[in-house]
Amino acid sequence: MSEEKRRTEEIEDVSPGMAYLPFVNMEELLEKLRLLNYEKSFMTIMNMKPLSRHYFALPTNPGEQFYMFTCLAAWLIQGTGRQFDIPQEKDDPNATISSILEVVRDFGYTLNFAPSKLKQGCGEHCIYVLNRLADEALKRQNFKWAKPIYPEEEEDEEIIIMAEDMELDLNKMEEDGIVDEADAGDDFDEEPLMRLDNLQSLKESKLKEGSNKPDNILESQTNLDEWLLEVQRVTPQLKVLIRTDNKDWRLHVDQMHQHKNNIEVSMEETKSYLQELQDEIDRSLEKIRSREKYTNKQLDHSLTEFRAFQDQLAEIKERYRQASGGLTDRSRILAEHHLLKLSRHCNS
């Protein structure tokens, strides 16, 4: 059984919600980083985008996440007032992790996990280390968490008004004799009983009340031109701007389709030009071949004579070499004979 599977089973045995604890801790870490103004103080310097709310909770790119983890930990350590250099990508990961954990232990925190857990660049252990360093950085800035102030629950105004209207209607119906007080009782939660013989009088009273309502309430007093002008002014502010993420695979797929369509359109335009260029090259090559054949045919006799002369020249050179070789031998023999005669003459 793998380590990850065993750990998942342990979490499930403890509580079903423990599997989602890294997401909660990551959001808590992100709130602390915002309090430390990490977007301007860290992300702008590193030329990176702000972290997502689940960046270290889910594994996406281990190399990138580990580099972000080490750089962010180094920045938080600097925020606590300690000297700590920002790691480089070529640095030894084991040495970097050891230096970070040594600082965390100096702050008095106990680490019950192996340092190799941090090499993944994500997970609960990385979030735990960053959370502890963020706490120390906030302490350095004398930041304290205040107690939450819960708003007082107020009764819905609309419900209160409806209750008052119902009570007034009930009182009016009792005064008119439509509802019997004995039947209604003291409990207003129960619906009062109405007398069938007084329904007509209730209907007439409602009609009278409706006839007394002013007519101008049903008509709008808003100027149409002013309303259209206000709509035109507010419309641009109602547009929703969605920031595109360069790492989103949907954006890359759309770009691929767009590039493919552009290539097909460009291919249709350049295909005719390429065909014309190919035809012109073929015609030029055909002319070159025909002229080459004509030149070879015209120079065939001269080439034959040239080859014959070359053969004669080679034969003459061979005869000269043989003759010159014999002359050299004879000159050597003559010189030796002359030296021999000279030596005899000197002895005599």
Side-chain angles (χ1 to χ4, degrees), residues 222-229:
T222 305
N223 190 356
L224 180 59
D225 295 334
E226 295 179 356
W227 180 76
L228 291 175
L229 184 62

Side-chain angles (χ1 to χ4, degrees), residues 105-118:
R105 292 190 185 96
D106 290 342
F107 286 124
Y109 297 104
T110 304
L111 302 176
N112 298 324
F113 56 87
S116 59
K117 296 289 185 180
L118 301 179

Side-chain angles (χ1 to χ4, degrees), residues 78-247:
Q78 293 177 358
T80 61
R82 293 173 176 251
Q83 184 66 27
F84 200 94
D85 296 333
I86 299 295
Q88 303 297 325
E89 294 183 1
K90 61 182 179 180
D91 292 346
D92 184 13
N94 295 323
T96 304
I97 292 173
S98 177
S99 301
I100 294 173
L101 294 182
E102 183 179 357
V103 175
V104 176
R105 292 190 185 96
D106 290 342
F107 286 124
Y109 297 104
T110 304
L111 302 176
N112 298 324
F113 56 87
S116 59
K117 296 289 185 180
L118 301 179
K119 285 187 178 181
Q120 302 175 359
C122 63
E124 58 177 336
H125 305 297
C126 294
I127 298 174
Y128 174 80
V129 172
L130 293 176
N131 258 321
R132 302 291 75 79
L133 293 176
D135 291 339
E136 296 299 325
L138 289 173
K139 290 180 182 178
R140 174 77 176 182
Q141 296 183 1
N142 296 325
F143 178 83
K144 294 182 180 179
W145 296 97
K147 293 183 179 180
I149 301 175
Y150 299 101
E152 297 180 359
E153 295 184 359
E154 298 180 358
E155 296 186 23
D156 195 350
E157 184 178 356
E158 184 177 357
I159 297 176
I160 296 175
I161 294 174
M162 290 177 62
E164 292 178 353
D165 293 342
M166 291 176 64
E167 185 177 358
L168 292 175
D169 291 340
L170 184 59
N171 293 334
K172 185 175 182 181
M173 292 166 68
E174 289 178 355
E175 292 176 358
D176 296 339
I178 300 174
V179 178
D180 194 354
E181 184 176 0
D183 295 334
D186 296 333
D187 190 2
F188 290 101
D189 293 337
E190 298 180 1
E191 295 183 358
L193 300 177
M194 302 181 64
R195 296 180 180 178
L196 297 178
D197 54 352
N198 293 327
L199 286 177
Q200 186 65 28
S201 61
L202 177 61
K203 183 177 179 181
E204 292 177 356
S205 63
K206 291 294 182 181
L207 291 174
K208 290 180 181 180
E209 291 178 0
S211 61
N212 295 330
K213 294 181 179 180
D215 295 336
N216 56 1
I217 296 178
L218 301 178
E219 296 180 0
S220 176
Q221 302 297 327
T222 305
N223 190 356
L224 180 59
D225 295 334
E226 295 179 356
W227 180 76
L228 291 175
L229 184 62
E230 182 67 16
V231 170
Q232 293 176 0
R233 187 185 66 82
V234 176
T235 300
Q237 302 178 6
L238 300 178
K239 293 181 179 179
V240 179
L241 298 178
I242 301 176
R243 297 177 61 183
T244 58
D245 188 4
N246 294 329
K247 297 181 181 178

Side-chain angles (χ1 to χ4, degrees), residues 54-98:
H54 299 152
Y55 185 81
F56 291 112
L58 295 174
T60 55
N61 188 344
E64 177 187 346
Q65 287 179 305
F66 178 75
Y67 179 66
M68 176 62 72
F69 164 73
T70 55
C71 292
L72 190 57
W75 178 74
L76 290 173
I77 293 173
Q78 293 177 358
T80 61
R82 293 173 176 251
Q83 184 66 27
F84 200 94
D85 296 333
I86 299 295
Q88 303 297 325
E89 294 183 1
K90 61 182 179 180
D91 292 346
D92 184 13
N94 295 323
T96 304
I97 292 173
S98 177

